[in-house]
Amino acid sequence: MTSREEILSAVRKQLPEAVELPDLRGPWIEYPDPIVQFAGVLEMIGGHCIRVPHVDAVQAELDRLPAYAVARQIVSAVPGAGYATVALNAIDDPHALEDVDFAILPGRFGVAENAAIWIEGDAVKHRVIYFLCQHLSLVIRAEDVIHNMHQAYERLAFSSARFGAFIAGPSKTADIEQSLVIGAHGPRSNTVFIVG
């Protein structure tokens, strides 16, 4: 018997007993008010949540944000929200978006458990704008805030290859010396507008 075979034999003798896979039917965590939970988690991870009654009220709230007030290059892919200075659909080369200061973009739904918002590439012409802008604002409907990631995955359907991602808060990293850096690899701020 070779040393390799001896080692593998010894490992096989120490294997734990097989157990059944867990039942994934729940019950999963649910919150008395998923929007309050979503807002609390978003604040904890460095973002900001603003609830508005309708999309037309988003502009007044944007005007109060210092990052929006000083922004020169603004993209808005949400009708009625923000005054766009960059026509996203008129740009052919996504590299031309490197100087975007502020982007107001749609999200499909939010998850109260972790304040993640599902975005899809077909919502905007250049999906890189979600990650390239200096400051990101996502807009979702109140009825699209769900409790947990199990519900989130139930909403997803992948009938063809396409882009989608969960975004939670601003870009951040604490890899180096355990020092938290906001905006390290993407947007420096994330404001979520919950409409309705």
Side-chain angles (χ1 to χ4, degrees), residues 144-189:
D144 290 330
V145 177
I146 57 178
H147 294 279
N148 56 60
M149 289 298 289
H150 298 281
Q151 292 173 339
Y153 282 110
E154 288 172 2
R155 284 185 168 219
L156 301 179
F158 302 102
S159 57
S160 63
R162 65 179 200 267
F163 174 81
F166 283 104
I167 295 177
S171 169
K172 54 197 152 303
T173 184
D175 291 346
I176 300 169
E177 298 180 5
Q178 298 180 357
S179 178
L180 181 62
V181 178
I182 303 291
H185 308 294
R188 295 185 290 156
S189 72

Side-chain angles (χ1 to χ4, degrees), residues 36-192:
V36 169
Q37 176 68 21
F38 179 94
V41 173
L42 184 61
E43 296 284 339
M44 184 178 64
I45 62 174
H48 187 58
C49 185
I50 300 173
R51 187 138 188 216
V52 293
H54 45 78
V55 75
D56 296 337
V58 170
Q59 186 59 53
E61 296 296 334
L62 282 169
D63 290 337
R64 292 186 181 103
L65 298 177
Y68 182 80
V70 299
R72 293 176 190 249
Q73 300 291 321
I74 300 171
V75 166
S76 178
V78 179
Y83 298 116
T85 62
V86 176
L88 186 62
N89 290 332
I91 293 174
D92 292 324
D93 181 5
H95 293 95
L97 299 169
E98 67 183 351
D99 294 329
V100 171
D101 298 309
F102 205 101
I104 303 113
L105 304 171
R108 296 281 192 230
F109 61 87
V111 184
E113 178 179 22
N114 57 9
I117 294 180
W118 177 254
I119 56 110
E120 291 181 350
D122 62 358
V124 296
K125 182 176 179 182
H126 300 292
R127 65 184 184 225
V128 70
I129 192 62
Y130 282 98
F131 311 101
L132 200 56
C133 62
Q134 290 294 310
H135 301 276
L136 175 63
S137 186
L138 296 171
V139 180
I140 58 173
R141 298 178 314 166
E143 60 264 27
D144 290 330
V145 177
I146 57 178
H147 294 279
N148 56 60
M149 289 298 289
H150 298 281
Q151 292 173 339
Y153 282 110
E154 288 172 2
R155 284 185 168 219
L156 301 179
F158 302 102
S159 57
S160 63
R162 65 179 200 267
F163 174 81
F166 283 104
I167 295 177
S171 169
K172 54 197 152 303
T173 184
D175 291 346
I176 300 169
E177 298 180 5
Q178 298 180 357
S179 178
L180 181 62
V181 178
I182 303 291
H185 308 294
R188 295 185 290 156
S189 72
N190 177 263
T191 303
V192 174

